[in-house]
Amino acid sequence: MSAFLKDAETMFHTARQGGREDCELAILVGRDGGIHMLPASGWELEPLRLHHGARAAFRITRNSRGVRLEARSADEACLLQAKPGRPWRPALSDFPQYLTI
């Protein structure tokens, strides 16, 4: 697995562990390895990456529909997303899946 995909996976895992507040954040990794974080609203990811001359760009969106991470570099791209869990699902496993007559 490439360093780019490992970084995307790590950021996605961290975003999923974060709080419940909504966010839309861009993380840019410069050619020198420096990291720059800024609000992502109003930009598509690739133009944002090119505008800042970044080696890689990551957009993290967290809201009531779940967590989404979009990542771009010059030669790689990925999209990771997770929908929020449904609190009523675990309760259904306790419900018998048979009928006694």
Side-chain angles (χ1 to χ4, degrees):
M1 182 184 299
S2 72
F4 170 79
L5 291 175
K6 285 181 185 177
D7 289 345
E9 183 179 44
T10 300
M11 288 182 208
F12 182 68
H13 178 72
T14 301
R16 290 187 70 193
Q17 301 304 315
R20 294 190 181 270
E21 66 278 351
D22 291 358
C23 77
E24 188 171 1
L25 175 70
I27 300 172
L28 305 174
V29 179
R31 303 212 182 276
D32 62 353
I35 296 173
H36 183 71
M37 295 171 52
L38 63 151
S41 58
W43 283 91
E44 293 295 324
L45 194 56
E46 184 63 3
L48 182 65
R49 183 183 77 79
L50 294 172
H51 177 76
H52 288 278
R55 178 173 40 95
F58 304 85
R59 177 194 305 268
I60 298 167
T61 306
R62 185 175 55 227
N63 55 36
S64 61
R65 294 179 302 226
V67 177
R68 174 184 167 106
L69 179 130
E70 180 185 358
R72 296 288 306 249
S73 73
D75 56 352
E76 292 181 278
C78 74
L79 174 66
L80 302 171
Q81 62 185 57
K83 294 183 180 184
R86 295 188 177 123
W88 50 268
R89 285 274 184 203
L92 289 178
S93 63
D94 293 336
F95 188 77
Q97 299 298 315
Y98 55 87
L99 179 61
T100 305
I101 301 179

